Amino acid sequence: MKTITGLGWASDALLQQHYIDLKDRPFFPSLIQYMSSGPVVAMVWEGKGAVKTGRTMLGATNPADSNPGTIRGDFCIDVSKNIIHGSDSVESAKKEIALWFKNEELVSYTSCAFSWLY
């Protein structure tokens, strides 16, 4: 399993690249403004079913549709002020990881519990 984190302020250029698929949407400028209004914690999770499990933990994109016990269900109120992002596929994750992290920042290790779990 791999978990890498980084804390800091995301530049407008990085956020615009990250959300490039939304650039033509009317809410794009406010999304960039909101995302750059405070520090961001970027993380990489690796493991069996990491994307699917991560998306389950996050909850539905619209917090109103998120189950209690999920991050969005417990801590979000409005879709325009969503507090968390999760890649929707392994392909998206690879692109997003490359945007947020340098290769040398990614460290892989084997947990002592690996052989018990797999």
Side-chain angles (χ1 to χ4, degrees):
M1 173 170 287
K2 180 183 343 184
T3 304
I4 306 298
T5 61
L7 171 64
W9 294 82
S11 69
D12 282 358
L14 174 62
L15 292 169
Q16 288 173 11
Q17 186 62 38
H18 181 88
Y19 290 108
I20 192 87
D21 58 318
L22 302 174
K23 70 178 173 61
D24 295 326
R25 305 291 291 268
F27 59 83
F28 185 72
S30 62
L31 171 65
I32 301 303
Q33 182 181 15
Y34 174 69
M35 289 297 299
S36 61
S37 68
V40 173
V41 177
M43 302 176 90
V44 177
W45 297 345
E46 180 182 68
K48 185 176 181 181
V51 171
K52 182 179 179 185
T53 301
R55 304 252 335 144
T56 299
M57 291 168 50
L58 271 56
T61 301
N62 184 343
D65 298 331
S66 292
N67 291 325
T70 64
I71 294 168
R72 291 176 178 145
D74 289 353
F75 300 106
C76 294
I77 295 172
D78 190 274
V79 72
S80 69
K81 299 292 189 265
N82 219 324
I83 64 166
I84 195 160
H85 168 82
S87 302
D88 59 2
S89 68
V90 173
E91 295 76 28
S92 293
K94 288 178 181 178
K95 290 178 194 172
E96 293 170 0
I97 291 166
L99 278 174
W100 289 86
F101 294 94
K102 297 174 187 163
N103 234 7
E104 60 270 14
E105 294 175 312
L106 302 173
V107 179
S108 194
Y109 69 95
T110 301
S111 167
C112 63
F114 183 85
S115 62
W116 301 336
L117 298 172
Y118 301 103

